[in-house]
Amino acid sequence: MPTTEPTGAGARPALAPELARRCYLDMLTARRIDEEAVALQRQGVFPAYVSLRGQEAAQVAGALAIDAERDFAFPTYREMGVALALGVDMPGYMASHRALWHGGLYDPAASRFAPINAVVGGPVPHAVGWAVGERLRGGPGCAVAYFGDGASSEGDVHEAMNFAGVYGAPVVFFCQNNRWALSVPNERQVAGGSVAARAAGYGMPGTAVDGNDAAAVHTAMAEALERARSGGGPSLIEALTYRVEPHSTSDDPTRYRDLAEEHAWRERDPIPALRARMEADGSGDEAFFTEAEKRAAERAEAVRDAVAAAPEPDGSELFTHVFREPTEELARQRRVWREEVEL
């Protein structure tokens, strides 16, 4: 039966010291890149941006359980921390937020990280399709499908989970439940109050974990991936976290939620929480945390400068990679565009 209480309610999992240090550095780096990205939007470099602040543990700790040699992650538009943990070229990833190219300028096949998908629930059926194909070819990989609590109400997600359950696809459905589907709270769009509980209807285990507890997330993801690799089929993980920033830089959350709620969740910040556990168990000392801050800031600044300086693509690329064989209408539009830009 699915577990609907966070793993953290009982015995708390722990991270090995080296893994904890890697996780902390990546979480902190994701936070610093996120801050630079918001600043770039305010400066007009990015037309818009979606922040992951508060969800670093859910993204980074889970991604560190993924095997980048054989698995494949299918992200939404908010999984910058997953991209970072998997070693994706970050200026190439951030190029999508600057609107330089659909899905980013990195290599999805080499990165094992699919192009950014802004369709709500869109990555989920893609992940299942890849997982079924991987099983049919006898490959060892698993797919990880990322989606939010709002996307869990989409028909595509239900169909994909049912298909995966019927065919035993090696896929992990990873829901970051950040409590708000844009301006709609959980209680108004998740019947029964739990995404994890729905897993039973698709013949798979569902587990809810504290999404701000890096060790709990990592443990849940590692267990789900191992289950899929051993032929156990799909799993659903619901990482209970919170979106402390607006849905995007175009959003005003003061119109629909209480500031006191935001402040309470900021006190549950996953980065200081991981630091406290590392200090308590000896995984990190003051020298490590000082060096991590330095490295994270330097990496964030390098990513900022690289994506801001990246050249804009030629306008003719509006018409490439649309159809394998261009249609007459597309050719006409390209001629009209060329005539206009050459005036």
Side-chain angles (χ1 to χ4, degrees):
M1 293 297 291
T3 301
T4 55
E5 290 298 321
T7 300
R12 298 181 69 189
L15 294 174
E18 183 177 351
L19 180 59
R21 289 189 286 271
R22 165 73 187 281
C23 190
Y24 183 87
L25 177 59
D26 282 356
M27 286 169 59
L28 186 62
T29 302
R31 173 70 59 85
R32 296 294 172 257
I33 293 175
D34 192 72
E35 292 168 347
E36 293 288 359
V38 172
L40 286 174
Q41 192 280 326
R42 301 308 187 209
Q43 295 163 17
V45 178
F46 287 0
Y49 178 70
V50 288
S51 174
L52 59 74
R53 190 181 185 100
Q55 298 180 219
E56 292 90 352
Q59 293 193 15
V60 170
L64 289 177
I66 296 172
D67 185 340
E69 295 296 320
R70 52 183 176 174
D71 300 332
F72 218 110
F74 291 80
T76 73
Y77 45 77
R78 203 184 296 274
E79 272 70 54
M80 184 263 282
V82 178
L84 179 71
L86 290 179
V88 174
D89 172 65
M90 294 311 293
Y93 172 89
M94 300 301 287
S96 179
H97 294 291
R98 195 180 146 200
L100 293 181
W101 188 256
H102 299 294
L105 289 170
Y106 60 93
D107 184 340
S111 303
R112 313 298 286 180
F113 186 82
I116 296 171
N117 194 327
V119 177
V120 177
V124 182
H126 295 174
V128 173
W130 184 91
V132 171
E134 180 74 352
R135 195 190 67 171
L136 289 174
R137 79 176 185 89
C142 301
V144 180
Y146 288 92
F147 60 104
D149 47 290
S152 73
S153 299
E154 291 285 336
D156 285 357
V157 173
H158 292 281
E159 292 171 20
M161 288 197 286
N162 186 65
F163 193 94
V166 169
Y167 289 94
V171 57
V172 177
F173 297 98
F174 192 85
C175 175
Q176 291 175 84
N177 185 344
N178 63 20
R179 315 293 168 132
W180 289 92
L182 210 165
S183 59
V184 182
N186 273 186
E187 58 269 21
R188 287 176 51 197
Q189 62 95 23
V190 178
S194 171
V195 176
R198 296 174 177 174
Y202 304 112
M204 67 181 77
T207 303
V209 298
D210 181 351
N212 286 17
D213 184 332
V217 174
H218 182 83
T219 298
M221 181 71 89
E223 291 175 350
L225 287 168
E226 180 55 34
R227 180 176 185 274
R229 287 195 225 292
S230 62
S235 301
L236 171 60
I237 298 171
E238 180 182 12
L240 301 168
T241 182
Y242 192 80
R243 191 198 78 219
V244 297
E245 296 293 338
H247 174 76
S248 74
T249 49
S250 301
D251 177 37
D252 178 9
T254 63
R255 297 178 62 186
Y256 56 82
R257 71 183 186 189
D258 188 355
L259 282 174
E261 178 182 285
E262 291 184 24
H263 293 156
W265 275 94
R266 286 181 186 275
E267 293 299 314
R268 299 178 61 179
D269 192 312
I271 296 177
L274 179 56
R275 174 170 178 160
R277 289 186 69 176
M278 292 173 67
E279 289 173 333
D281 65 19
S283 298
D285 56 17
E286 189 62 36
F288 165 78
F289 293 115
T290 299
E291 178 64 16
E293 186 62 62
K294 178 175 178 291
R295 291 175 61 186
E298 290 175 346
R299 179 83 183 278
E301 290 168 7
V303 171
R304 174 201 67 198
D305 293 345
V307 72
E312 294 187 3
D314 187 276
S316 64
E317 292 185 6
L318 286 167
F319 307 95
T320 58
H321 308 295
V322 179
F323 296 104
R324 182 175 180 179
E325 299 294 335
T327 64
E328 291 184 9
E329 174 60 19
L330 191 65
R332 184 194 68 79
Q333 292 177 15
R334 183 168 183 167
R335 287 195 301 272
V336 171
W337 169 82
R338 177 64 67 185
E339 291 170 359
E340 291 178 349
V341 299
E342 290 179 350
L343 288 177

